[in-house]
Each structure stands twice: as C-alpha cells, then as structure tokens.
C-alpha cells in the first residue's frame, strides 16, 4: 500500500485491507480448523498509519491477525500461501533443493510488489486471459494427478469452484508480475562495447562452455485439399455465422465444431493483442471488426476461420473463433509424399540445392525465405544445442551425417494436420569455450540479462522504500536478499 498524505483516504484503505485479511482467513483458515481441530497462529502486524509530509515512516498500532506472514502494498501473504506454493512447486516438478520458507516468502513478496505496482501503473489483465490460463492449468494438473477428484485431494480443496478461485487469484498475480517485469526492462538496451566489456570481465578459466550445436533446415510439403473440401468448410462456417446472428451461442458452436483444441474447449475464447504472435490474416480480421461483429470465413495457414469480437479494450480484445480444416484424403496425402520424395531425389542428384528447394517449394512460410533454416524458440537464433533439443527432433536429426538429407518424415501441426518434411543439418559446431566472435549472440544475451537484472534490482530497492511493507515478527529472523525489513 503506498502511503498517502490524505489521512481520510489512508484510513479507508487500511480498513479495506483489514477486512480483506479477515475474508482470506475465513477462506483459507476455517477449513484447516475443521480438519485439524486446532488453530495455527502466526503473529503479524497490521498498522493504522499516519503519514507525514516528507517521510515514509509511520506510527503504528499493533493488531494480531492469525496466519498473516507479510503485507506488501495492498496484498496479504498468508502462512498458508507459503504452504500452498510449496505444493504447487511439487506438483509442477520444481526442484525443492535449497528452497526454504524464508526464500519462498521473499519470492512471494517480490511477486506481490510487482503486482501491486502494476495496479498503480494501470496495467490490466483481461478476465479472458486469466480464465484461459486457469482452464489450461486445471486440465494439465488433472491429467498429472489422474482426475479432478485426486487434484482436489492433493490441494485439500473441497470442490472445483474453490480450486478455480485460488488459481484465478494466483494467475492474475502472475500476469501482473510478468507484465510489470517486462515494463521495467522494456527499454534496457546494450551496446556492442558493453557486450565486449562484459565478456572481457569473465576470467578465461571461467568462461562458459558451449555444447555441441547444430543448424538445421527443413522443407515442408503440405497436401492440398480439394476445392470441394474447401467449399464444404466455407459453407459450414457461413451456416454457423447465420445461426449465431439468429440467436445461437457462438461459444457452444465453437465447443461443438472448432478444431482449435486449445480455445475450442473454452468456447473459442482468446484474449489477444497486436503484439502477440498470431497469423497475420487472423490479426488483420480480428482488429478490423467492432464489438459484437462476426467475420466472414477467411483462411490462414491453419485452416479456415470465423471470428466474433466479444469485447474491445483499446489495443486488446477478447475474441471467439471457430477453426475448421478441409478434409485431406489419403489420395492427397500420397500425392504430397510423392512430391517431397521427388524433390529429395532432385536435391541428391545435384539439380538444385537444399536452400534453393526450400525457397522455391517449401510450404512453411516461417522458414522458406531463409532457405528452410529453423529458428530456436529459446534463443531466437539458428543454433540448437544438441543436449537441449526437443527429443523428437533430436531422434530425427541425430542419425544424419555430413550433408545427408532425411527420408520424408510425417509431421503434424498442433491442429492435427498431416504433412511431410525433409531435414538437413547445415552446420555443426563442436563443444568449445565461448568465443567472442563466434558466440557473439549468446554473449550479448548474457550481457543483456545481467544489465536487466541490475535494472530490476534498482527498481525493487526503490519500490520497497515507496511501498507499505510489513513482515510478521516470526519471519523477521529471515535473511532476505531484498531489504523487506527496511533496516
């Protein structure tokens, strides 16, 4: 909570905060009392504050509140939140080695500081984004624990609604935290001279070792659907649009018909903005419509869509979409296989290079203009470290020697479309100690991260001074990385 010069506003905020604590205690504490017939009491201090004109210091009246570990701005961190976060980490397979309650409390306080400041800076997260992420997490965790009943048992939750409420709160903080972090480092840039200085400061015997790396290129041949199959899909989408305009639910239609597995289960709902990596055709249509409008059918590399605008919020909007994919017959699939096999034979015969074939014939828009070279999503360059490569991709690449080209391999998109691909290793780089010239991109990335961390450190130090923070007496013995105790 930021300190205010207006004592009336301060009193109201403090009352709201105290009420929020009581609500959280009822939500998180009563269930434990019923199960264990005991009360775990942790003393914390909620302070009625008066602010002087030029100081962040305050006078305090101490009130014991059971279960509160710390307060950061408008956020309360309960002792039970620490326990539940331990469970979350265990469920996600996070290593618990060296993770103490003090370290975890410090991490939670840092997240709450980001989230609190995000709200002060009017950073928004749409309900649609939160809902989508919660649904994805619940589906994933349910699979990991063999169903909702086991998941509820694991988290000691009475029902799915209670679990969703908790995950919604956590997810909102995560979104706010990430966006505030991005804002803090958004304008941090690094010059070549700073990169050089960063590299030269690393002792020679401590410079990182770069593992075996590969550059990989691909050619994709996707089977073409027949005109009849395309017309059938377009007519179906037109029919759905007409039914929705006549009063049917777009969300229900998306659940029934959409081939987009991720959004289809949520009634086709997606929260999007112009910065997101989406098909250009999709963004062009989605940002050309007004709230409540439904598009005509249009095509992207994934298939055919219609889009409805649920809500417009400046540069962000909630949209619903339905994706249909024209049926590909076995005959068309075989035609694609023969086409890519012929292309492979031409390359091996020396009629054209792999690079030329990719630029002229590949159906993959993302790689064909670069001669088929794949971009590593983790580093955004063309190098793939062998030990960190996707296992399926590794199994396809590992047998290739020299300039060998793979046999035609079946490939499947995230929407289930089958296609064929050829792979080739275009360059191999043996394990070596980092070299400034050869590994400049990686070194630049490390240098930039260091500079960003320094900027984040300065930001956290300043915001801790400007924000109301209180750690309960039991947790004041913790040795925090940040100055949460404001010593």
């Amino acid at each position: 909570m930021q300190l205010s010069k207006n004592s009336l506003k301060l009193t109201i905020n403090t009352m709201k905060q105290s009420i929020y604590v009581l609500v959280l205690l009822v939500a998180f504490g009563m269930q434990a009392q019923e199960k264990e017939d005991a009360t775990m009491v942790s003393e914390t201090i909620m302070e009625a504050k008066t602010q002087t004109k030029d100081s962040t210091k305050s006078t305090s009246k101490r009130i014991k509140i059971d279960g509160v570990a710390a307060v950061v701005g408008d956020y309360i961190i309960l002792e039970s939140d620490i326990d539940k976060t331990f469970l979350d980490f265990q469920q996600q397979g996070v290593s618990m080695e060296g993770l103490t309650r003090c370290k975890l409390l410090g991490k939670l306080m840092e997240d709450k500081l980001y989230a609190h400041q995000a709200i002060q800076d009017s950073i928004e997260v749409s309900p649609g984004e939160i809902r989508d992420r919660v649904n994805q997490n619940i589906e994933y965790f349910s699979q990991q624990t063999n169903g909702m009943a086991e998941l509820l048992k694991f988290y000691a939750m009475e029902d799915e609604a209670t679990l969703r409420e908790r995950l919604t709160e956590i997810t909102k903080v995560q979104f706010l935290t990430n966006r505030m972090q991005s804002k803090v480092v958004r304008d941090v840039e690094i010059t070549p001279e700073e990169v050089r200085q960063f590299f030269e400061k690393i002792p020679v015997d401590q410079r990182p070792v770069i593992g075996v790396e590969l550059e990989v290129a691909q050619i994709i041949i996707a089977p073409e659907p027949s005109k009849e199959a395309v017309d059938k899909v377009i007519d179906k989408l037109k029919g759905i649009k007409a039914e929705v305009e006549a009063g049917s639910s777009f969300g229900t239609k998306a659940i029934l018909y959409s081939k987009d597995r991720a959004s289809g289960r949520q009634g086709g709902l997606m929260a999007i903005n112009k910065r997101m990596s989406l098909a250009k055709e999709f963004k062009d249509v989605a940002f050309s419509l007004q709230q409540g409008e439904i598009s005509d059918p249009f095509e992207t590399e994934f298939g055919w869509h219609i889009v409805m605008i649920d809500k417009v919020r400046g540069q962000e909007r909630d949209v619903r979409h339905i994706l249909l994919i024209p049926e590909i017959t076995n005959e068309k699939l075989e035609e694609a296989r023969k086409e890519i096999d012929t292309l492979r034979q031409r390359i091996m015969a020396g009629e054209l290079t792999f690079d030329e074939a990719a630029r002229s014939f590949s159906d993959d828009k993302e790689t064909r203009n670069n001669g088929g070279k794949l971009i590593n999503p983790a580093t955004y360059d063309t190098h793939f470290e062998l030990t960190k490569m996707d296992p399926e991709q590794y199994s396809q690449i590992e047998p290739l020697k020299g300039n060998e080209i793979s046999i035609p391999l079946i490939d499947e998109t995230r929407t289930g479309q089958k296609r064929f691909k050829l792979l080739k290793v275009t360059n191999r780089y043996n394990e070596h100690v980092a070299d400034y010239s050869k590994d400049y991109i990686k070194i630049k990335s490390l240098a930039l991260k260091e500079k960003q961390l320094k900027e984040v450190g300065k930001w956290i130090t300043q915001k801790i001074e400007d924000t109301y923070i209180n750690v309960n007496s039991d947790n004041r013995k913790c040795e925090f990385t940040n100055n949460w105790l404001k010593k």
Side-chain angles (χ1 to χ4, degrees), residues 335-365:
E335 287 178 8
R337 190 196 64 77
K338 288 180 178 177
E339 181 181 346
I340 201 167
D341 191 52
T342 300
L343 192 59
R344 180 176 184 269
Q345 291 176 24
R346 292 182 61 192
I347 296 170
M348 294 180 68
E351 292 182 32
L352 69 171
T353 66
F354 196 97
D355 181 285
E356 291 167 343
R359 294 177 188 275
S360 300
F361 301 104
S362 181
D363 290 324
D364 186 29
K365 294 180 181 178

Side-chain angles (χ1 to χ4, degrees), residues 1 6 42 58 65 101 117 145 150 158 186 189 223 307 401 428 478:
M1 182 184 298
N6 186 319
S42 298
S58 60
I65 302 293
R101 286 186 70 85
Q117 191 58 45
T145 55
E150 287 296 319
E158 292 182 353
R186 182 175 58 200
E189 296 179 345
V307 171
K401 309 300 179 186
R428 293 176 185 266
C478 288

Side-chain angles (χ1 to χ4, degrees), residues 96-129:
M96 309 300 286
E97 185 178 352
L99 185 60
T100 64
R101 286 186 70 85
C102 286
K103 287 182 180 179
L104 192 50
L105 175 58
K107 174 66 169 64
L108 291 175
M109 292 178 73
E110 189 174 316
D111 288 347
K112 296 300 190 290
L113 181 67
Y114 279 116
H116 171 76
Q117 191 58 45
I119 293 172
Q120 310 310 305
D121 290 1
S122 300
I123 293 175
E124 294 184 354
V125 181
S126 75
E129 286 178 287

Side-chain angles (χ1 to χ4, degrees), residues 365-403:
K365 294 180 181 178
E366 291 184 4
T367 62
R368 67 185 180 196
N369 291 331
N370 194 29
K373 280 190 178 179
L374 295 173
I375 301 298
N376 188 335
T379 59
Y380 300 104
D381 63 12
T382 58
H383 290 211
F384 289 82
E385 195 166 342
L386 202 57
T387 57
K388 297 178 182 178
M389 189 174 282
D390 174 78
E392 182 179 358
Q393 188 180 52
Y394 175 83
S395 67
Q396 295 171 342
I397 290 296
E398 195 275 334
L400 301 180
K401 309 300 179 186
N403 291 320

Side-chain angles (χ1 to χ4, degrees), residues 117-285:
Q117 191 58 45
I119 293 172
Q120 310 310 305
D121 290 1
S122 300
I123 293 175
E124 294 184 354
V125 181
S126 75
E129 286 178 287
I130 298 172
R131 187 166 53 248
D132 284 352
R133 182 66 58 82
V134 168
N135 287 335
Q136 290 168 11
N137 286 342
I138 285 180
E139 181 177 349
Y140 173 75
F141 292 146
S142 295
Q143 292 173 352
Q144 297 297 107
T145 55
N146 298 316
M148 178 57 68
E150 287 296 319
L151 182 61
L152 294 174
K153 182 179 178 182
F154 183 88
Y155 281 106
M157 294 287 181
E158 292 182 353
D159 51 42
E160 185 177 342
T162 307
L163 177 60
R164 284 184 177 276
E165 184 178 351
R166 168 166 168 74
L167 289 179
T168 296
E169 179 185 344
I170 292 171
T171 302
K172 182 176 181 180
V173 171
Q174 288 175 339
F175 270 116
L176 289 171
T177 296
N178 291 339
R179 289 184 183 176
M180 192 67 241
Q181 287 174 332
S182 296
K183 182 178 179 181
V184 172
V185 301
R186 182 175 58 200
D187 298 326
V188 177
E189 296 179 345
I190 194 160
T191 66
E193 177 59 20
E194 288 175 310
V195 176
R196 185 188 64 77
Q197 291 176 4
F198 166 82
F199 182 73
E200 290 182 350
K201 280 192 303 183
I202 305 174
V204 174
D205 61 346
Q206 295 179 26
R207 287 177 181 172
V209 174
I210 310 297
V212 176
E213 291 185 319
L214 306 176
E215 285 186 310
V216 181
Q218 69 175 13
I219 295 172
I220 297 288
I221 298 295
E224 287 288 332
S226 65
K227 183 178 183 303
E228 292 75 19
V230 171
D231 289 343
K232 183 178 179 181
V233 161
I234 294 173
D235 290 343
K236 179 68 176 177
L237 288 172
K238 287 180 177 178
I240 292 172
K241 176 182 178 181
E243 290 174 14
V244 172
E245 290 176 336
S248 293
S249 166
F250 194 105
T252 300
K253 297 292 186 184
I255 292 171
L256 290 173
Y257 301 114
S258 183
K259 298 300 181 183
D260 185 346
R261 300 166 188 170
S263 70
R265 289 187 292 265
Q266 322 307 329
L269 186 64
M270 295 172 60
I272 68 170
N273 59 60
K274 290 187 175 180
R275 300 183 303 276
M276 292 176 67
S277 177
L278 296 168
K280 180 181 182 300
E281 302 90 343
F282 190 95
K283 280 202 283 192
D284 288 346
V285 171

Side-chain angles (χ1 to χ4, degrees), residues 284-295:
D284 288 346
V285 171
F287 285 94
S288 69
L289 300 173
Q290 301 300 313
Q291 189 164 308
E293 274 192 283
I294 305 175
S295 74

Side-chain angles (χ1 to χ4, degrees), residues 440-452:
Y440 179 80
I441 292 177
K442 285 185 174 59
I443 296 166
K444 179 182 178 182
S445 177
L446 291 173
L448 179 60
K449 284 178 183 176
E450 183 187 63
K451 190 173 181 180
Q452 289 173 336

